[in-house]
Amino acid sequence: MEIGFLGSLFSPIENLLHFFIENFYTITKSLGFGSYGLAIILLTILIKIVLYPLTAKQIQSMRAMQILQPKMKKLQEKYKNNPQVMQQKLAELYRDAGVNPLAGCLPMLIQMPILMGMYYALFNFDYGGAEPSFLWLPSLSQTDPLYILPVLSALTTFLQQKMSMTDSNSQTKMLMIIMPLFIGWISLNFPAGLVLYWVTMNIVQIIQQWWLSREDITKENKEAA
Protein backbone atom coordinates (compact mmCIF):
# COMPACT_ATOMS: atom_id res chain seq x y z
CA MET A 1 0.00 0.00 0.00
CA GLU A 2 1.36 3.37 -1.00
CA ILE A 3 1.82 5.91 1.74
CA GLY A 4 0.08 8.77 -0.08
CA PHE A 5 -0.87 12.13 1.40
CA LEU A 6 -2.67 10.76 4.48
CA GLY A 7 0.17 8.37 5.21
CA SER A 8 2.69 11.20 5.18
CA LEU A 9 0.34 13.36 7.26
CA PHE A 10 0.25 10.77 10.04
CA SER A 11 3.86 9.63 9.64
CA PRO A 12 5.08 11.28 12.92
CA ILE A 13 2.48 9.31 14.88
CA GLU A 14 3.23 6.21 12.81
CA ASN A 15 6.95 6.45 13.59
CA LEU A 16 6.24 6.91 17.30
CA LEU A 17 4.00 3.84 17.33
CA HIS A 18 6.66 1.84 15.48
CA PHE A 19 9.10 2.85 18.19
CA PHE A 20 6.81 1.59 20.95
CA ILE A 21 6.02 -1.67 19.15
CA GLU A 22 9.70 -2.44 18.69
CA ASN A 23 10.45 -1.63 22.32
CA PHE A 24 7.58 -3.74 23.63
CA TYR A 25 8.82 -6.57 21.40
CA THR A 26 12.31 -6.14 22.86
CA ILE A 27 10.82 -6.38 26.36
CA THR A 28 8.98 -9.61 25.54
CA LYS A 29 12.11 -10.97 23.88
CA SER A 30 14.19 -10.23 26.98
CA LEU A 31 11.64 -12.27 28.95
CA GLY A 32 12.26 -15.22 26.64
CA PHE A 33 9.15 -15.14 24.44
CA GLY A 34 9.58 -12.40 21.84
CA SER A 35 6.12 -11.68 20.47
CA TYR A 36 4.98 -8.91 18.15
CA GLY A 37 1.38 -9.92 18.83
CA LEU A 38 1.85 -9.30 22.55
CA ALA A 39 3.71 -6.07 21.73
CA ILE A 40 0.68 -4.82 19.77
CA ILE A 41 -1.64 -5.74 22.64
CA LEU A 42 0.58 -3.97 25.19
CA LEU A 43 0.78 -0.85 23.04
CA THR A 44 -3.01 -0.81 22.60
CA ILE A 45 -3.53 -1.10 26.37
CA LEU A 46 -1.01 1.70 26.94
CA ILE A 47 -2.83 3.97 24.46
CA LYS A 48 -6.18 3.31 26.13
CA ILE A 49 -4.72 4.00 29.58
CA VAL A 50 -3.21 7.31 28.41
CA LEU A 51 -6.52 8.28 26.80
CA TYR A 52 -8.61 7.15 29.79
CA PRO A 53 -9.46 10.72 30.93
CA LEU A 54 -10.85 11.45 27.46
CA THR A 55 -12.73 8.15 27.44
CA ALA A 56 -14.22 8.93 30.85
CA LYS A 57 -15.35 12.37 29.66
CA GLN A 58 -16.89 10.87 26.55
CA ILE A 59 -18.77 8.17 28.46
CA GLN A 60 -19.99 10.59 31.13
CA SER A 61 -21.29 12.90 28.41
CA MET A 62 -23.11 10.04 26.67
CA ARG A 63 -24.62 8.91 29.98
CA ALA A 64 -25.82 12.45 30.71
CA MET A 65 -27.42 12.63 27.27
CA GLN A 66 -29.07 9.27 27.89
CA ILE A 67 -30.63 10.57 31.11
CA LEU A 68 -32.00 13.58 29.21
CA GLN A 69 -33.48 11.46 26.41
CA PRO A 70 -37.09 11.40 27.79
CA LYS A 71 -37.16 15.19 28.19
CA MET A 72 -35.56 15.68 24.77
CA LYS A 73 -38.18 13.49 23.10
CA LYS A 74 -41.00 15.45 24.76
CA LEU A 75 -39.58 18.73 23.50
CA GLN A 76 -39.04 17.31 20.01
CA GLU A 77 -42.61 16.07 19.90
CA LYS A 78 -44.07 19.28 21.34
CA TYR A 79 -42.19 21.60 18.97
CA LYS A 80 -41.86 19.35 15.93
CA ASN A 81 -43.56 21.95 13.76
CA ASN A 82 -41.33 24.76 14.98
CA PRO A 83 -37.67 23.69 14.64
CA GLN A 84 -36.32 27.05 15.74
CA VAL A 85 -38.18 26.99 19.07
CA MET A 86 -37.31 23.31 19.51
CA GLN A 87 -33.59 24.04 19.16
CA GLN A 88 -33.93 26.89 21.66
CA LYS A 89 -35.72 24.69 24.19
CA LEU A 90 -33.17 21.91 23.74
CA ALA A 91 -30.34 24.40 24.28
CA GLU A 92 -32.03 25.54 27.50
CA LEU A 93 -32.40 21.92 28.61
CA TYR A 94 -28.69 21.26 28.01
CA ARG A 95 -27.72 24.45 29.83
CA ASP A 96 -29.90 23.74 32.86
CA ALA A 97 -28.56 20.18 33.08
CA GLY A 98 -24.96 21.31 32.59
CA VAL A 99 -24.59 19.07 29.54
CA ASN A 100 -22.70 19.83 26.34
CA PRO A 101 -23.98 17.58 23.51
CA LEU A 102 -20.68 18.04 21.67
CA ALA A 103 -18.56 16.95 24.64
CA GLY A 104 -18.84 13.32 23.61
CA CYS A 105 -17.52 14.08 20.11
CA LEU A 106 -14.37 15.95 21.13
CA PRO A 107 -12.56 12.95 22.68
CA MET A 108 -13.35 10.92 19.55
CA LEU A 109 -11.85 13.63 17.33
CA ILE A 110 -8.71 13.72 19.47
CA GLN A 111 -8.34 9.95 19.25
CA MET A 112 -8.75 9.84 15.45
CA PRO A 113 -5.11 10.81 14.64
CA ILE A 114 -3.90 7.99 16.89
CA LEU A 115 -6.27 5.53 15.23
CA MET A 116 -5.11 6.59 11.77
CA GLY A 117 -1.47 6.49 12.86
CA MET A 118 -1.94 2.95 14.15
CA TYR A 119 -3.62 1.98 10.88
CA TYR A 120 -0.62 3.12 8.84
CA ALA A 121 1.83 1.77 11.43
CA LEU A 122 0.45 -1.76 11.26
CA PHE A 123 -0.87 -2.09 7.71
CA ASN A 124 2.58 -2.56 6.19
CA PHE A 125 4.63 -3.05 9.32
CA ASP A 126 8.11 -4.50 8.76
CA TYR A 127 8.57 -7.35 11.20
CA GLY A 128 12.27 -7.61 10.43
CA GLY A 129 11.78 -9.84 7.42
CA ALA A 130 10.25 -12.63 9.52
CA GLU A 131 6.69 -13.91 9.46
CA PRO A 132 5.69 -13.41 13.11
CA SER A 133 3.17 -15.92 14.35
CA PHE A 134 0.86 -15.35 17.31
CA LEU A 135 -1.44 -17.92 18.90
CA TRP A 136 -3.37 -19.48 15.96
CA LEU A 137 -2.10 -16.85 13.50
CA PRO A 138 0.71 -18.06 11.18
CA SER A 139 1.59 -14.43 10.39
CA LEU A 140 0.51 -11.03 11.74
CA SER A 141 1.26 -9.48 8.35
CA GLN A 142 -1.30 -11.74 6.63
CA THR A 143 -5.05 -12.12 7.03
CA ASP A 144 -6.48 -14.45 9.67
CA PRO A 145 -6.92 -17.82 7.91
CA LEU A 146 -9.48 -18.98 10.48
CA TYR A 147 -11.49 -15.71 10.42
CA ILE A 148 -11.48 -15.59 14.21
CA LEU A 149 -10.23 -12.00 14.45
CA PRO A 150 -12.72 -10.62 11.87
CA VAL A 151 -15.57 -12.25 13.80
CA LEU A 152 -14.23 -10.86 17.07
CA SER A 153 -13.86 -7.41 15.50
CA ALA A 154 -17.54 -7.46 14.52
CA LEU A 155 -18.75 -8.82 17.88
CA THR A 156 -16.69 -6.45 20.03
CA THR A 157 -17.69 -3.48 17.86
CA PHE A 158 -21.36 -4.42 18.32
CA LEU A 159 -21.00 -4.79 22.09
CA GLN A 160 -19.04 -1.54 22.42
CA GLN A 161 -21.71 0.30 20.40
CA LYS A 162 -24.50 -1.24 22.44
CA MET A 163 -22.91 -0.07 25.69
CA SER A 164 -22.49 3.44 24.23
CA MET A 165 -26.00 3.71 22.78
CA THR A 166 -27.90 6.73 24.08
CA ASP A 167 -30.87 6.51 21.72
CA SER A 168 -32.87 3.54 20.48
CA ASN A 169 -34.47 4.92 17.32
CA SER A 170 -34.59 2.92 14.10
CA GLN A 171 -31.55 4.66 12.58
CA THR A 172 -29.42 3.90 15.64
CA LYS A 173 -30.52 0.27 15.64
CA MET A 174 -29.70 -0.03 11.95
CA LEU A 175 -26.26 1.51 12.51
CA MET A 176 -25.61 -0.98 15.31
CA ILE A 177 -26.07 -3.78 12.78
CA ILE A 178 -24.39 -2.23 9.75
CA MET A 179 -21.23 -0.92 11.45
CA PRO A 180 -20.12 -4.23 13.09
CA LEU A 181 -20.81 -6.09 9.84
CA PHE A 182 -18.79 -3.53 7.89
CA ILE A 183 -15.88 -3.72 10.37
CA GLY A 184 -15.96 -7.52 10.23
CA TRP A 185 -16.04 -7.47 6.42
CA ILE A 186 -13.07 -5.13 5.95
CA SER A 187 -11.17 -7.07 8.63
CA LEU A 188 -11.22 -10.07 6.29
CA ASN A 189 -8.73 -8.24 4.06
CA PHE A 190 -6.63 -6.49 6.72
CA PRO A 191 -3.39 -7.86 8.20
CA ALA A 192 -4.03 -9.79 11.38
CA GLY A 193 -1.82 -7.41 13.38
CA LEU A 194 -4.10 -4.48 12.55
CA VAL A 195 -7.28 -6.42 13.38
CA LEU A 196 -5.66 -7.59 16.63
CA TYR A 197 -5.19 -3.93 17.55
CA TRP A 198 -8.87 -3.17 16.79
CA VAL A 199 -10.17 -6.11 18.82
CA THR A 200 -7.91 -5.29 21.78
CA MET A 201 -8.96 -1.64 21.66
CA ASN A 202 -12.63 -2.63 21.69
CA ILE A 203 -12.15 -5.02 24.60
CA VAL A 204 -10.32 -2.40 26.70
CA GLN A 205 -12.99 0.17 25.79
CA ILE A 206 -15.73 -2.23 26.90
CA ILE A 207 -13.96 -2.81 30.23
CA GLN A 208 -13.50 0.93 30.75
CA GLN A 209 -17.15 1.64 29.94
CA TRP A 210 -18.29 -1.11 32.32
CA TRP A 211 -16.06 0.28 35.06
CA LEU A 212 -17.26 3.86 34.62
CA SER A 213 -20.90 2.75 34.52
CA ARG A 214 -20.31 0.79 37.70
CA GLU A 215 -18.86 3.88 39.39
CA ASP A 216 -21.84 6.00 38.27
CA ILE A 217 -24.35 3.46 39.61
CA THR A 218 -22.51 3.26 42.94
CA LYS A 219 -22.49 7.06 43.16
CA GLU A 220 -26.20 7.29 42.37
CA ASN A 221 -27.04 4.65 45.01
CA LYS A 222 -25.07 6.59 47.64
CA GLU A 223 -26.85 9.83 46.71
CA ALA A 224 -30.23 8.10 46.83
CA ALA A 225 -29.43 6.69 50.29
Side-chain angles (χ1 to χ4, degrees):
M1 183 185 69
E2 295 183 2
I3 295 296
F5 172 73
L6 283 178
S8 61
L9 182 64
F10 293 105
S11 60
I13 299 175
E14 177 185 352
N15 293 335
L16 181 62
L17 294 174
H18 278 166
F19 171 80
F20 277 105
I21 291 175
E22 290 291 355
N23 278 273
F24 277 126
Y25 173 75
T26 300
I27 292 173
T28 61
K29 190 175 181 179
S30 67
L31 296 174
F33 52 90
S35 170
Y36 276 108
L38 185 55
I40 292 171
I41 291 174
L42 291 174
L43 175 58
T44 308
I45 293 173
L46 175 63
I47 291 173
K48 293 302 294 180
I49 290 175
V50 171
L51 296 179
Y52 180 77
L54 292 177
T55 301
K57 186 177 181 63
Q58 178 184 352
I59 293 173
Q60 289 165 0
S61 175
M62 290 189 298
R63 183 167 174 78
M65 291 293 292
Q66 188 174 21
I67 294 173
L68 289 180
Q69 279 297 318
K71 293 181 180 179
M72 291 169 59
K73 288 182 178 180
K74 287 182 180 179
L75 289 175
Q76 289 167 346
E77 181 64 29
K78 184 177 181 179
Y79 299 104
K80 61 182 179 181
N81 296 322
N82 195 334
Q84 186 175 356
V85 174
M86 180 179 68
Q87 292 300 322
Q88 181 181 347
K89 293 295 183 181
L90 286 173
E92 292 175 358
L93 176 64
Y94 298 147
R95 185 183 66 245
D96 294 341
V99 173
N100 183 351
L102 298 179
C105 299
L106 182 59
M108 295 176 63
L109 292 176
I110 295 175
Q111 293 180 63
M112 278 304 295
I114 298 175
L115 177 61
M116 292 301 298
M118 183 64 84
Y119 169 83
Y120 284 106
L122 291 177
F123 199 94
N124 280 335
F125 185 72
D126 181 8
Y127 293 98
E131 289 292 334
S133 61
F134 182 65
L135 299 178
W136 70 90
L137 301 166
S139 173
L140 291 170
S141 61
Q142 303 297 323
T143 57
D144 183 348
L146 300 181
Y147 308 116
I148 294 175
L149 282 178
V151 171
L152 287 177
S153 69
L155 289 177
T156 55
T157 299
F158 173 80
L159 182 56
Q160 193 272 324
Q161 283 187 159
K162 186 174 179 62
M163 294 178 70
S164 304
M165 186 175 65
T166 59
D167 198 355
S168 58
N169 58 45
S170 57
Q171 291 180 340
T172 304
K173 290 180 179 178
M174 184 65 67
L175 185 62
M176 281 188 60
I177 296 174
I178 294 175
M179 183 58 71
L181 290 176
F182 174 73
I183 294 296
W185 177 69
I186 63 174
S187 295
L188 292 172
N189 299 309
F190 279 173
L194 181 59
V195 187
L196 177 63
Y197 159 73
W198 183 264
V199 171
T200 306
M201 183 182 67
N202 279 343
I203 292 173
V204 177
Q205 178 80 9
I206 289 168
I207 294 172
Q208 289 180 338
Q209 288 183 222
W210 168 80
W211 179 257
L212 287 167
S213 298
R214 178 176 171 273
E215 286 184 337
D216 288 340
I217 293 172
T218 302
K219 183 178 179 181
E220 289 173 3
N221 290 338
K222 287 183 178 178
E223 290 177 351

